[in-house]
Amino acid sequence: MKKTLIFLFTAVCAVCLFAQTVKVYKGGTLQYELADADSVVFCETAGGKISQGFVKGQKVTISTDMNNKGSNLTQAIGTDNGTTIDYTWEEGDSVLVKVNSETAVFKLVSGAGTKSATFEGEMPAGGNSFDIQYPVEEPNITSQDYNNNLMPKDKLLFKATDCTLGNNVQLVPQYSILQVNFKGTQTIKKLIVSGISNNDETYTLNINPEVTLNGTAKAFYVIMPKINERLKVRLIDNTNTLKAAFTTSKAIDLSSNACINMADLNVPEHNYPCFTALEDGCEVNISLEAFVFNDRYLEILKEGDSDWTALDVQYVIDHKGALEANISLDEGEKLYMRATLGEVNNVFTIQDPDVPIFTTSGELKFSGDISYLIKGDGTATKDDMEFSEYYDIGCFQQLFAGTTIVDASDLILPSYTKQACYFEMFAGCENLLYPPELPATDMDKDSYTYMFSSCTSLRNAPALPAKTLAEGCYEGMFAGCTSLIVAPELPAMQLAFLCYSDMFSGCTNLIQAPQLIASNLESSCYGTMFSGCSKLASVTMLANEDQLGKFCTFIAWLENAGTSASGTPTVYVKNAAVKTALEGVEYGAGKAVPSNWTVAVKP
């Protein structure tokens, strides 16, 4: 009768094959032998390994040790009462075994309640080694649930590769854990963590029920991939409002399979906007001419000072008619600001666009909740965000234009927009590397028009989640951003007049355009959109055939684009009818598709 040999994995077990007899040694001593064996999975002798390959259906057991599985991660993770999380195998646990492209689930057969357990299953065919994974289904860590800081075992992914029978399987953690410590009195509903280089890849800790901070440090744990970069942490309160944002000044190394403890993050009661010097010798100069005689005043507070200073008429008198406040900052020093308390005091909508509010020197960060510049207590609403009909200027139009801000990643903007509210807000900020998050999902006219134009150092664009667009809302938004390589996604299906016009013009290093997914178009919506994008090799445009004849929709959209791309630049469309129609679109200046481009149906 044929016999089945079941192997138990230990570090000291060896298996030898002699003709049709399988001999198992442990510690150099023959333990047992099995004649007329059904099949042999793996054999090992003192002189080397003899591989027989796995046989499909071979029943095998695997033993794995929890000590390695949990030690690096769990020793530092404590619940609120200070106890340490200690994992053990449980009834019902399973692991996934993979041989080449074939997989099989091995179920726990012994060892529940301990750190060492045995799993049994049928080995996939082929190969001489296998990979193993726990849990069977790779967990999704983009959304995690807070449970009194207890980390569920099946959320932590562990793998071992190139395993061989006769050797102890050591599972290696694939994730690390970030410990975030908050101090303050806020109620927290959600934490969102991302790397500074890609805000689209977020890891969210959902806290339900909410946790209210009590003034002392409170730790929260977020499972993270193995990355090594600066991190951004966003705090969402019980009203679903982004209350605070923190970006680490240095990279956080999460590549060590360990629990990494960030420094304490203080959540202020009032998240006032502020300049922070990133080096010694910085200057912030604030023009008073634009607003000081209009009964709307800005107040400033240099960190360490006891009282706020109002930039008002009295300030001008006290400073012998000076129409500018000059503040020097050394590395780490902060200059806070707010509108006058007690009223809607939007100092910026009455500025003279030819007189900049801020001029600066030195590398600076600007952070905090910008709504405090509308109402000094931070309670501003959409109705308070004014548009000046007299000056034809938006709320924060050109606010930081031409300044030396490097980092605006912790600047909190509201979830709504008003007409021209951010028009040219950072235009000409040649040092800007880290833009703010743009959470608004509904656009108003000219909301983000030329917002980051000529930010020549900007490499990563913020996400643009809005699906309801308005006239000119993204016009020229990234024009002249010569360091931008990948464009943000554009999810809107319904477009508006001039909405994407000139959006990426002059982005000479852009190699990846957004998919233009809208089926229905509007006049001039794509005009000059990619003009001058010399490295651009392809654009996907999925509009319907009957939309292509609208007024100036594609005028100069690819002018001087793709001139240095490798191969023939291509516009991909949804079908042959659209291809024929687009090839026939002409304007006074020439065809919509330049001669150096071709049109093809999207594969």
Side-chain angles (χ1 to χ4, degrees):
M1 181 178 67
K2 294 276 186 177
K3 302 177 182 65
T4 300
L5 178 62
I6 298 176
F7 295 115
L8 178 67
F9 287 63
T10 68
V12 292
C13 181
V15 185
C16 298
L17 174 67
F18 298 97
Q20 296 298 312
T21 301
V22 175
K23 296 185 178 183
V24 180
Y25 291 85
K26 186 174 182 179
T29 304
L30 179 66
Q31 300 293 302
Y32 58 86
E33 61 184 73
L34 183 65
D36 197 18
D38 184 359
S39 56
V40 176
V41 176
F42 185 84
C43 303
E44 182 176 13
T45 69
K49 298 178 180 178
I50 306 172
S51 173
Q52 301 297 310
F54 298 134
V55 178
K56 186 172 183 179
Q58 178 90 31
K59 185 172 283 189
V60 175
T61 64
I62 299 174
S63 178
T64 183
D65 191 342
M66 272 297 257
N67 287 327
N68 185 68
K69 180 175 183 296
S71 61
N72 289 338
L73 287 172
T74 61
Q75 286 178 354
I77 302 174
T79 58
D80 288 339
N81 61 11
T83 59
T84 299
I85 299 172
D86 199 16
Y87 296 126
T88 58
W89 292 112
E90 304 169 45
E91 293 288 352
D93 275 345
S94 298
V95 294
L96 185 71
V97 174
K98 182 177 181 181
V99 179
N100 296 326
S101 61
E102 300 292 322
T103 60
V105 175
F106 279 47
K107 296 182 178 180
L108 184 143
V109 292
S110 65
T114 71
K115 289 183 176 294
S116 297
T118 301
F119 294 82
E120 185 177 87
E122 294 185 352
M123 185 67 74
N128 302 315
S129 63
F130 61 91
D131 300 337
I132 186 169
Q133 170 184 305
Y134 174 84
V136 172
E137 296 292 334
E138 191 163 316
N140 173 21
I141 64 170
T142 60
S143 181
Q144 306 167 34
D145 294 322
Y146 172 82
N147 181 22
N148 196 32
N149 283 334
L150 293 172
M151 284 290 175
K153 177 160 56 82
D154 58 3
K155 278 287 188 182
L156 299 171
L157 179 66
F158 298 85
K159 292 183 178 181
T161 58
D162 200 25
C163 306
T164 53
L165 300 183
N167 294 299
N168 193 39
V169 173
Q170 295 290 324
L171 289 170
V172 177
Q174 301 302 299
Y175 300 141
S176 289
I177 295 175
L178 180 70
Q179 178 179 331
V180 184
N181 308 302
F182 282 117
K183 283 184 177 180
T185 58
Q186 302 285 356
T187 297
I188 304 178
K189 184 175 182 178
K190 190 180 296 184
L191 298 182
I192 303 174
V193 183
S194 64
I196 193 69
S197 65
N198 190 350
N199 285 333
D200 293 337
E201 294 183 6
T202 61
Y203 306 91
T204 300
L205 181 66
N206 302 296
I207 304 171
N208 187 17
E210 300 98 337
V211 171
T212 300
L213 303 176
N214 62 7
T216 59
K218 166 76 175 174
F220 297 89
Y221 298 94
V222 183
I223 302 170
M224 295 287 294
K226 295 180 180 180
I227 58 178
N228 183 4
E229 66 173 308
R230 294 174 64 205
L231 299 180
K232 182 172 183 177
V233 180
R234 283 158 279 186
L235 184 153
I236 311 298
D237 72 3
N238 56 333
T239 66
N240 278 324
T241 300
L242 176 60
K243 204 64 181 177
F246 305 89
T247 301
T248 60
S249 58
K250 298 180 180 180
I252 303 295
D253 188 357
L254 291 168
S255 61
S256 59
N257 309 327
C259 178
I260 305 300
N261 188 348
M262 286 181 62
D264 290 354
L265 302 176
N266 292 307
V267 184
E269 181 180 0
H270 295 289
N271 192 11
Y272 295 119
C274 76
F275 282 102
T276 302
L278 301 179
E279 61 183 357
D280 289 342
C282 294
E283 295 282 341
V284 176
N285 304 313
I286 307 173
S287 171
L288 310 183
E289 184 177 353
F291 56 83
V292 74
F293 299 114
N294 292 272
D295 296 324
R296 295 181 174 190
Y297 306 129
L298 184 69
E299 297 180 345
I300 60 174
L301 174 70
K302 187 172 180 180
E303 191 173 39
D305 292 347
S306 57
D307 295 315
W308 290 83
T309 298
L311 302 183
D312 55 13
V313 175
Q314 188 60 50
Y315 182 92
V316 175
I317 295 172
D318 292 344
H319 290 79
K320 299 179 181 180
L323 290 178
E324 187 172 83
N326 305 303
I327 300 93
S328 298
L329 300 173
D330 284 331
E331 184 175 2
E333 291 185 332
K334 299 178 183 292
L335 176 67
Y336 296 96
M337 54 192 65
R338 69 185 183 191
T340 304
L341 293 175
E343 57 182 304
V344 177
N345 193 12
N346 192 337
V347 300
F348 303 108
T349 54
I350 45 74
Q351 64 173 304
D352 181 345
D354 294 325
V355 180
I357 293 287
F358 300 111
T359 55
T360 66
S361 63
E363 293 190 349
L364 293 160
K365 176 176 181 175
F366 193 84
S367 60
D369 187 343
I370 204 167
S371 66
Y372 283 89
L373 297 182
I374 302 175
K375 291 182 74 173
D377 59 2
T379 60
T381 66
K382 184 175 182 178
D383 291 338
D384 298 322
M385 186 182 276
E386 300 177 5
F387 173 80
S388 173
E389 297 287 350
Y390 181 81
Y391 285 101
D392 190 29
I393 191 167
C395 184
F396 299 117
Q397 183 167 330
Q398 298 177 325
L399 182 60
F400 302 115
T403 61
T404 56
I405 293 174
V406 172
D407 187 352
S409 59
D410 291 343
L411 174 60
I412 297 176
L413 303 180
S415 58
Y416 47 81
T417 61
K418 291 289 283 289
Q419 183 176 345
C421 54
Y422 304 121
F423 187 102
E424 293 186 344
M425 186 181 190
F426 293 96
C429 291
E430 296 180 353
N431 295 329
L432 185 69
L433 292 172
Y434 306 109
E437 183 178 352
L438 305 179
T441 55
D442 293 329
M443 295 291 98
D444 205 329
K445 181 181 177 181
D446 298 331
S447 300
Y448 295 143
T449 301
Y450 292 96
M451 184 177 185
F452 299 105
S453 59
S454 299
C455 290
T456 53
S457 296
L458 187 67
R459 300 188 186 100
N460 298 293
L464 303 176
K467 295 185 178 181
T468 302
L469 305 189
E471 179 182 330
C473 59
Y474 292 133
E475 183 180 0
M477 187 176 186
F478 300 103
C481 291
T482 53
S483 295
L484 190 66
I485 297 174
V486 178
E489 294 181 3
L490 301 175
M493 292 296 293
Q494 184 60 50
L495 306 189
F497 176 60
L498 289 171
C499 60
Y500 297 141
S501 175
D502 212 34
M503 189 174 184
F504 300 103
S505 65
C507 293
T508 52
N509 278 298
L510 189 73
I511 60 173
Q512 183 175 319
Q515 279 205 21
L516 305 179
I517 63 173
S519 299
N520 299 316
L521 306 182
E522 292 293 338
S523 298
S524 301
C525 60
Y526 295 147
T528 64
M529 187 176 185
F530 302 108
S531 65
C533 295
S534 55
K535 292 185 179 179
L536 191 62
S538 68
V539 175
T540 298
M541 193 281 299
L542 302 179
N544 295 327
E545 175 190 359
D546 61 357
Q547 299 293 303
L548 306 189
K550 292 188 175 180
F551 179 73
C552 291
T553 301
F554 298 98
I555 190 166
W557 73 315
L558 295 172
E559 185 177 39
N560 296 320
T563 54
S564 60
S566 58
T568 302
T570 304
V571 178
Y572 292 101
V573 297
K574 62 168 55 176
N575 56 44
V578 177
K579 176 181 182 296
T580 300
L582 184 60
E583 289 173 333
V585 174
E586 290 191 36
Y587 301 104
K591 288 182 172 292
V593 180
S595 59
N596 63 315
W597 283 70
T598 189
V599 184
V601 176
K602 185 177 183 291

